[in-house]
C-alpha cells in the first residue's frame, strides 16, 4: 500500500503545473497507518507543511542540485529515494532472512 501511495503521489506531482512553479521550503510527507483491525491495513500519504511554498519566477524540475538562486530543493529526488527504499523493503520482507524466518523486524534491520 505504501509503495503504491508513494508512486501515486509521484505521478500526481509530475502532472501538476502548480508543483513545477513553486519551491517547497520545509515541507514534509506524512505517513499515517491504521492497523487497528486485522486485515484492515489502511494507510495514507500526504504532503504537509506547505506554508512556505513559494512561487518561482522560473519552472523548477525539483531534481536539479541546489545552487545559489535556482530555487531547486530536490523534492522529487527525495520522493524517488523514498520509493526506492520502500521497493527494497518490499523485496526484503518477501525473502526469508538467513538467520531467522520468524521475525520480520530482523529482515527490516538487514534491509538497510
Amino acid at each position: 500500500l505504501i509503495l503504491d501511495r508513494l508512486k501515486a503521489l509521484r505521478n500526481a506531482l509530475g502532472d501538476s503545473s502548480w508543483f513545477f512553479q513553486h519551491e517547497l521550503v520545509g515541507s514534509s510527507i506524512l505517513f499515517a497507518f491504521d492497523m487497528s483491525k486485522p486485515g484492515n491495513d489502511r494507510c495514507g500519504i500526504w504532503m504537509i507543511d506547505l506554508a512556505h511554498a513559494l512561487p518561482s519566477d522560473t519552472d523548477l524540475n525539483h531534481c536539479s542540485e541546489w545552487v545559489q538562486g535556482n530555487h531547486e530543493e530536490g523534492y522529487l529526488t527525495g520522493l524517488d529515494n523514498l520509493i526506492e527504499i520502500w521497493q527494497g523493503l518490499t523485496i526484503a520482507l518477501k525473502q526469508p532472512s538467513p538467520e531467522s524466518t520468524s521475525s520480520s523486524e530482523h529482515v527490516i534491520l538487514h534491509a538497510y
Side-chain angles (χ1 to χ4, degrees), residues 3 5-6 12 19-20 22 27 35 42 47 50 54-55 59 61 63 65 67 76 79-80 84 86 103-104 107:
L3 185 56
R5 300 291 171 100
L6 287 170
F19 178 70
F20 291 104
H22 287 79
S27 66
M35 301 179 77
R42 295 184 295 174
M47 294 173 61
L50 298 173
L54 305 172
D59 281 352
N61 64 35
C63 292
E65 189 171 325
V67 293
L76 290 180
L79 185 54
D80 290 341
E84 185 177 326
W86 279 104
S103 173
S104 61
V107 174

Side-chain angles (χ1 to χ4, degrees), residues 8-17 19-20 47 75-76 79:
L9 176 58
R10 178 63 164 92
N11 290 336
L13 292 176
D15 293 338
S16 171
S17 59
F19 178 70
F20 291 104
M47 294 173 61
Y75 198 95
L76 290 180
L79 185 54

Side-chain angles (χ1 to χ4, degrees), residues 26-102:
S27 66
S28 302
I29 296 178
L30 173 67
F31 291 69
F33 303 90
D34 177 5
M35 301 179 77
S36 59
K37 298 177 187 174
N40 187 19
D41 302 337
R42 295 184 295 174
C43 73
I45 295 176
W46 296 272
M47 294 173 61
I48 62 169
D49 301 329
L50 298 173
H52 299 289
L54 305 172
S56 176
D57 52 354
T58 61
D59 281 352
L60 305 173
N61 64 35
H62 299 282
C63 292
S64 294
E65 189 171 325
W66 181 85
V67 293
Q68 183 71 34
N70 75 351
H71 302 284
E72 292 289 347
E73 78 297 271
Y75 198 95
L76 290 180
T77 301
L79 185 54
D80 290 341
N81 287 336
L82 278 174
I83 290 170
E84 185 177 326
I85 289 167
W86 279 104
Q87 284 172 330
L89 287 172
T90 300
I91 292 167
L93 288 172
K94 291 179 180 177
Q95 298 174 355
S97 171
E99 293 86 10
S100 169
T101 58
S102 63

